[in-house]
């Protein structure tokens, strides 16, 4: 039981240390301390902030930094080490600060603001192996970054390091090495290009004194998220992740660090009879200062105008320019019927709450259908009905879950007939198409969804899985990582698809690490265990593969690999064969 309570996650860890620090201190203590402070303030800390890192601890001349993205971690290190002599000011007569940097990707244990575990230990052991002014990364980092950075790392072979019971393969980079030159013509993937402004919308506090009104305050918050997500110049954190702060007293600056955003919106709602009072304040997540604040005392029927005003005031405060299409989508009112809207909010609360089961599914369906009784042209209600039936099809709640797939298709079609710009309906259509193994139709629907809502994490993950199933696993990786950036709380779900993409790309060590993390976070998964066993088979770790397979059979004694994989929409037979080959190497397929 104690093991289950340990808070773990997958993270990229950067460890940095000053070369010859003791010698520098002995020679000029005051000058060294001044030079180190200047380097941190003008080079290191700005680079960490620019790449969404979090400085975990400073130990003398050493630093440990945590990143959610391995690409961000490596690009941060490159930025620091490429600064070279640009900081040196001969007039100050200060010692030159030169760093060694080590980077690893691995499982870490979280305890307060601190992290520890093998993921951190290996990064710390790699740092001394780097050349002065250089970077040393583990093989899993080299696999993970692929061709997504503008530098090449040189294979350093295998080394043994203290307190790690296995050899580690390393890769090195140095600014003076011929191997470190930029790769001509390489362009960063669009999925990794973040907009200028990133924002999190916290769930508005229900001040009505009636817990039954939680659905209303949550719904208003979610609708502001949805509206802001339509704007390409903003990156908006998904509901699943921003709502993890509900009911918690957390410093806005800490939220900014944890979610990697520059601003946070918080507020409260008091609903009494036909009146509603809403307060909202936009806060700079770096300084904690207010960027904008307002209070609205209105009739309940004015709620849609209030939402529109809050959205536009945020856009103005963040100096985001809207395209004509974005202006039109923001001006589009989904319904003018308050009763229909109220039913939709209640239904979404059932559908997206912490408890998801047959009872909540059936309650959500009742609410969405009631919304359509009030407004038969309500596109969002049709889309939500389709999404709810996708949940039933996947989770097998009802007596006839297979009938939910054609129902989802029907409701998505009806939603789009009412409003062709409904992004959730496009996602439902894409999911139905994927289940029907029509990957081309799914791709078209996903592309439309993201053109309408660039911050929709669901659509980014769908695009990633579509590319994986279509035989493009390397192109899938940045899309799935973007989904994780937008919705870190859903990472346990996304890790399965990310691990599968790396497996099909032949990057078995990275795949195994990601799938192990998925299993830690979702212990009851069976297919992720099958994929992990395959990756381990390819790595030659046959005993471990058999142990993982044994866990799978305990969870699902009737698991049949061929039948399960046959239901997946793989376009290329060679991808299925790659998974099966790893299992055959570990002699597992005959054990079904």
């Amino acid at each position: 039981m104690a093991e289950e309570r340990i808070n773990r996650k997958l993270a990229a860890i950067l460890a940095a240390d000053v070369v010859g620090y003791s010698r520098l201190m002995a020679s000029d203590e005051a000058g060294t301390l001044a030079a180190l402070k200047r380097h941190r303030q003008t080079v290191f800390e700005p680079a960490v902030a620019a790449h969404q890192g979090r400085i975990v601890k400073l130990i003398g001349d050493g630093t440990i930094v945590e990143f959610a993205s391995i690409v961000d971690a490596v690009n941060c290190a490159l930025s620091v080490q490429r600064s070279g002599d640009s900081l040196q000011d001969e007039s100050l007569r200060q010692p030159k600060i030169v760093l060694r940097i080590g980077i690893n990707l691995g499982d870490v244990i979280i305890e307060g603001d601190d992290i520890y575990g093998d993921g951190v230990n290996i990064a710390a052991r790699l740092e001394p192996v780097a050349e002065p002014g250089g970077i040393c990364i583990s093989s899993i980092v080299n696999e993970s970054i692929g061709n997504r950075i503008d530098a090449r790392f040189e294979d350093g072979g295998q080394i043994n390091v203290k307190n790690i019971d296995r050899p580690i393969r390393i890769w090195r980079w140095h600014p003076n090495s011929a191997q470190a030159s930029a790769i001509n013509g390489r362009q960063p993937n669009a999925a990794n290009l973040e907009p200028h402004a990133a924002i999190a919308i916290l769930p508005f506090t229900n001040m009505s004194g009636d817990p039954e009104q939680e659905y209303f305050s949550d719904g208003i918050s979610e609708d502001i998220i949805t509206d802001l997500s339509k704007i390409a110049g903003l990156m908006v954190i998904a509901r699943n992740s921003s709502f993890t702060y509900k009911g918690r007293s957390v410093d806005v600056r800490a939220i900014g660090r944890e979610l990697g955003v520059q601003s946070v919106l918080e507020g409260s709602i008091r609903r009494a009879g036909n009146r509603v009072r809403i307060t909202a304040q936009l806060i700079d997540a770096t300084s904690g200062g207010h960027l904008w604040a307002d209070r609205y005392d209105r009739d309940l029927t004015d709620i849609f105008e209030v939402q529109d005003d809050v959205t536009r005031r945020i856009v103005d405060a963040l100096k985001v320019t809207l395209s004509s299409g974005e202006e039109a989508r923001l001006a589009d009112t989904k319904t003018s019927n308050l009763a229909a809207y109220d039913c939709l909010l209640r239904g979404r609360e059932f559908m997206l709450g912490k408890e998801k089961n047959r009872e909540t599914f059936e309650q959500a369906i009742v609410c969405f259908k009631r919304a359509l009784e009030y407004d038969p042209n309500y596109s969002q209600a049709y889309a939500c009905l389709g999404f709810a039936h996708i949940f039933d099809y996947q989770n097998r709640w009802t007596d006839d879950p297979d009938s939910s797939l054609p129902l989802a298709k029907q409701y998505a079609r009806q939603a789009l007939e009412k409003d062709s710009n409904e992004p959730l309906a496009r996602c439902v259509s894409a999911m139905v198409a994927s289940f029907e193994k029509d990957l081309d139709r799914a791709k078209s629907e996903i592309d439309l969804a993201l053109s309408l809502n660039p911050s929709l994490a669901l659509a980014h993950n769908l695009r990633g899985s579509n590319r994986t199933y279509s035989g493009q696993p390397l192109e899938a990786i940045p899309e799935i990582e973007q989904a994780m950036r937008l919705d870190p709380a859903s990472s346990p779900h996304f890790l399965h698809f990310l691990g599968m993409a790396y497996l099909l790309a032949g990057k078995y060590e990275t795949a195994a690490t990601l799938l192990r993390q998925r299993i830690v976070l979702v212990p009851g998964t069976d297919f992720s265990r099958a994929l992990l066993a395959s990756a381990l088979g390819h790595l030659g770790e046959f005993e471990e593969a058999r142990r993982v397979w044994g866990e799978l059979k305990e969870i699902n004694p009737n698991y049949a690999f061929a039948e399960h994989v046959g239901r997946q929409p793989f376009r290329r037979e060679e991808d299925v064969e790659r998974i099966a080959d790893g299992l055959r190497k570990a002699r597992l397929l005959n054990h079904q």
Side-chain angles (χ1 to χ4, degrees), residues 54-59 62-65 114-116:
R54 179 178 77 90
I55 295 177
V56 178
K57 62 179 75 173
L58 297 171
I59 310 171
T63 312
I64 298 292
V65 187
D114 203 358
I115 57 174
Y116 57 96

Side-chain angles (χ1 to χ4, degrees), residues 69 72 148 189-195 234-237 450 454-461 476-488 494 498:
S69 162
D72 282 342
R148 292 181 289 156
N189 189 293
N192 289 326
L193 296 177
E194 290 197 356
L234 282 175
M235 193 195 79
V236 186
I237 297 299
L450 284 170
S455 287
L456 190 54
L458 169 65
H460 280 286
N461 188 56
I477 289 166
E479 291 293 339
I480 303 170
E481 289 180 339
Q482 181 69 353
M484 296 172 75
R485 170 76 177 95
L486 290 163
D487 189 4
F494 299 142
L498 191 59

Side-chain angles (χ1 to χ4, degrees), residues 19 81 98-100 130-134 174-175:
V19 177
Q81 299 295 55
V98 178
L99 301 184
R100 291 188 179 94
E131 296 178 58
H174 192 275

Side-chain angles (χ1 to χ4, degrees), residues 324-364:
S324 57
E326 290 166 345
E327 285 274 12
R329 287 196 291 273
L330 286 179
D332 182 23
T333 300
K334 298 304 181 184
T335 185
S336 58
N337 189 301
L338 189 59
Y341 180 66
D342 193 80
C343 289
L344 183 90
L345 296 189
R346 289 181 185 272
R348 280 198 321 216
E349 192 73 9
F350 285 124
M351 184 172 70
L352 301 176
K354 291 182 180 180
E355 293 293 329
K356 297 184 182 70
N357 50 44
R358 178 170 182 164
E359 181 182 355
T360 58
F361 163 74
E362 291 174 345
Q363 289 172 315

Side-chain angles (χ1 to χ4, degrees), residues 134-412:
I135 304 167
C136 180
I137 62 177
S138 59
S139 60
I140 187 173
V141 172
N142 190 63
E143 274 193 1
S144 299
I145 57 177
N147 64 351
R148 292 181 289 156
I149 61 168
D150 65 345
R152 289 191 179 98
F153 282 75
E154 184 177 357
D155 189 349
Q158 288 193 336
I159 63 169
N160 291 299
V161 296
K162 184 179 178 181
N163 294 333
I164 303 298
D165 60 2
R166 62 189 183 282
I168 297 173
R169 192 173 194 87
I170 62 169
W171 296 73
R172 291 190 175 101
W173 174 93
H174 192 275
N176 296 332
S177 170
Q179 292 291 330
S181 60
I183 300 172
N184 293 331
R186 175 171 293 165
Q187 297 295 324
N189 189 293
N192 289 326
L193 296 177
E194 290 197 356
H196 175 71
I199 185 171
I201 313 301
L202 300 187
F204 279 29
T205 303
N206 171 28
M207 302 294 288
S208 303
D210 180 4
E212 293 295 320
Q213 293 297 316
E214 288 288 329
Y215 79 92
F216 188 78
S217 55
D218 287 353
I220 298 298
S221 310
E222 185 174 354
D223 280 346
I224 295 172
I225 291 172
T226 300
D227 284 343
L228 290 172
S229 295
K230 298 173 184 176
I231 302 169
L234 282 175
M235 193 195 79
V236 186
I237 297 299
R239 174 196 194 276
N240 284 348
S241 294
S242 59
F243 273 46
T244 60
Y245 297 95
K246 184 175 181 178
R248 298 166 54 193
S249 178
V250 185
D251 189 299
V252 166
R253 290 168 293 185
I255 295 172
R257 291 193 300 270
E258 291 171 10
L259 295 179
V261 297
Q262 290 85 48
S263 52
V264 172
L265 181 75
E266 62 180 17
S268 64
I269 296 179
R270 183 186 301 276
R271 179 179 176 180
N274 292 323
R275 299 289 296 177
V276 62
R277 173 180 291 176
I278 297 178
T279 63
Q281 50 189 6
L282 184 66
I283 302 171
D284 185 317
T286 303
S287 67
H290 284 67
L291 301 172
W292 162 78
D294 210 339
R295 187 177 77 172
Y296 303 83
D297 281 296
R298 302 283 185 88
D299 287 333
L300 195 55
T301 52
D302 294 335
I303 189 65
F304 306 115
E305 293 179 14
V306 173
Q307 287 182 25
D308 289 345
D309 189 64
V310 170
T311 299
R312 291 182 178 279
R313 296 287 291 276
I314 292 170
V315 169
D316 291 343
L318 298 180
K319 298 179 173 59
V320 176
T321 303
L322 300 180
S323 69
S324 57
E326 290 166 345
E327 285 274 12
R329 287 196 291 273
L330 286 179
D332 182 23
T333 300
K334 298 304 181 184
T335 185
S336 58
N337 189 301
L338 189 59
Y341 180 66
D342 193 80
C343 289
L344 183 90
L345 296 189
R346 289 181 185 272
R348 280 198 321 216
E349 192 73 9
F350 285 124
M351 184 172 70
L352 301 176
K354 291 182 180 180
E355 293 293 329
K356 297 184 182 70
N357 50 44
R358 178 170 182 164
E359 181 182 355
T360 58
F361 163 74
E362 291 174 345
Q363 289 172 315
I365 294 296
V366 168
C367 291
F368 297 141
K369 287 184 175 180
R370 190 174 296 143
L372 290 171
E373 291 174 6
Y374 286 112
D375 182 355
N377 295 313
Y378 200 177
S379 175
Q380 274 192 2
Y382 282 113
C384 287
L385 275 170
F387 198 40
H389 279 287
I390 287 287
F391 277 154
D392 178 48
Y393 180 75
Q394 291 176 312
N395 294 287
R396 324 303 285 175
W397 288 323
T398 59
D399 297 333
D400 185 16
D402 289 331
S403 67
S404 275
L405 191 62
L407 283 172
K409 187 174 185 178
Q410 170 194 321
Y411 287 129

